[in-house]
Amino acid sequence: MSAHYQVTGATAVAISASIESGIRTEALPPGAALPPVRVLAAELGVSPATVARAYQELRHRGLLATAGRHGTKVRPRPPVAARRSALRPGALPGARDLSQGEPDPRLLPPLGPHLAALAADTGPPVGYSHAGVLPELAAVARARLAADGVPAGELTLTGGALDGIERLLGAHLRPGDAVAVEDPGWANLLDLIAALGLRPIGVPLDDEGPLVAGVAAALAAGARALVVTSRAQNPTGAAVSAARAKELRALLAGRRDLLLIEDDHAAELARVPLHPLAGATVSWAFLRSVSKPFGPDLRLAVLVGDETTVARVAGRARVGAGWVSTVLQRLVLGLWRDPAVTELVRRAAASYEQRREGLLAALAEHGLTAYGRSGINIWLPVADETSAITTLRDAGWSVSPGALYRIAAPPALRITVSPLTTADLVPLAVALTRAANPTPPEGFTT
């Protein structure tokens, strides 16, 4: 625990409030270790049960995580706004930052022309009673999904993929329920599951998606929901293959006790075919976001699924945010309909593929096996993440530690290829090779 912060309180409520205050002010920064239950209980003069209840409440809210023998720590991204978060330093000066997982802004379609066209034809203001999913956007979205084999009868919109997943889990599950997720998997999803008070069950995966045996084990362990990334899986780049989809559909066929959620966040940027699982279970949903191909600031995702599931999400939205802005819907519709934008997205996908495969090939020449079948990231197994990241930092590269994405998977690094140029590939591969295979220090000599 931070030497500058002292937890206070005589009740479980007061102790948890004190710890939350420390997290909010960043006196307890992400990753900070908290004292063992008995140690803090002795310091505060309360029973160990009181401290245990405080820790449990904060774990259920996603602020703390139990790290086995390493004790209890503040989660990497706890769901509480930190007052000093804007003061956090970024990458070291001069370092190349490959840790963000964002698309290359140079390859995003320019929004200016479409915003200007939208301003020239705004039409009458939209009121509360007439807002919702625009019929013309729904028609185009259904056609785009149908072209990929996704049934799209019932449809609604959410404010991005993660917003859609949160609404789906909230509508079907209750705190304490188990969710099967890919391991390694999307860090934001792991944080969301913790914040909702749900239990993650890790499912191992390979280049072709979640392993069937892993999904079967998660179902046997009581998973109430399964989240699968269709392609461009974050962080590994995995994509569900036709063979794997067939096996998974057979395993999941007709299940009434499981919510199946598919996330196709990369959509048009994924240069591999889509093999959807949609409809394999009674309750299912398929999400496709526009953020990766068209711009992270476009917070819109299309959600299709069975009638009950879509109705729950749409109904919950009506008593909350209400609807996704029709101005945003019209902007996205204009982008979808523009052949020039379609060509830009196609070229961006090809560029990411060239960089990703180029880095994988350069690493292979140095004897390193990394993974990245699709998308903008590659996953490089290493023996020690801390040592590797430190070595890379000293060489002028910043990457993301695999610990952010892992439940039980072995150590690795996530490298985002979108900031790279062709000239970067060889020197980066050399730096990664040194980081993955550090030279041991010389021993004592006589």
Side-chain angles (χ1 to χ4, degrees), residues 20-21 28 188 256 258 295 335 345 369 372 391 408 413 432 436 439:
E20 180 176 354
S21 176
L28 290 173
N188 287 354
R256 295 183 173 275
L258 181 77
L335 293 169
V345 173
T369 300
T391 301
L413 305 176
L432 288 169
T439 302

Side-chain angles (χ1 to χ4, degrees), residues 130-300:
H130 294 90
V133 181
L134 295 177
E136 56 268 42
L137 180 131
V140 174
R142 286 191 174 98
R144 294 166 77 90
L145 290 171
D148 283 328
V150 180
E154 302 298 324
L155 180 149
T156 190
L157 302 176
T158 63
L162 197 64
D163 177 58
I165 294 173
E166 178 177 8
R167 294 177 186 276
L168 287 162
L169 294 176
H172 283 79
L173 276 65
R174 296 294 177 264
D177 286 345
V179 182
V181 293
E182 297 150 337
D183 182 19
W186 188 17
N188 287 354
L189 175 59
L190 298 179
D191 290 339
L192 172 64
I193 288 172
L196 293 175
L198 304 172
R199 295 185 294 111
I201 299 177
V203 175
L205 70 160
D206 60 16
D207 277 341
E208 297 184 58
L211 300 180
V212 176
V215 174
L219 298 180
R224 294 281 316 283
L226 167 65
V227 184
V228 175
T229 309
S230 303
R231 35 191 189 174
Q233 196 264 357
N234 186 1
T236 69
V240 177
S241 66
R244 185 63 50 81
K246 182 178 180 180
E247 293 177 304
L248 289 172
R249 291 183 71 90
L251 174 67
L252 302 174
R255 290 194 70 116
R256 295 183 173 275
D257 58 344
L258 181 77
L259 170 64
L260 170 64
I261 302 174
E262 286 182 273
D263 176 16
D264 188 34
H265 68 99
E268 294 86 353
L269 284 184
R271 298 257 292 179
V272 293
L274 179 70
H275 300 290
L277 306 176
T281 56
V282 173
S283 299
W284 64 275
F286 183 98
L287 283 153
R288 177 172 287 177
S289 170
V290 304
S291 297
K292 284 293 192 302
F294 301 102
D297 198 32
L298 301 179
R299 311 308 301 161
L300 183 148

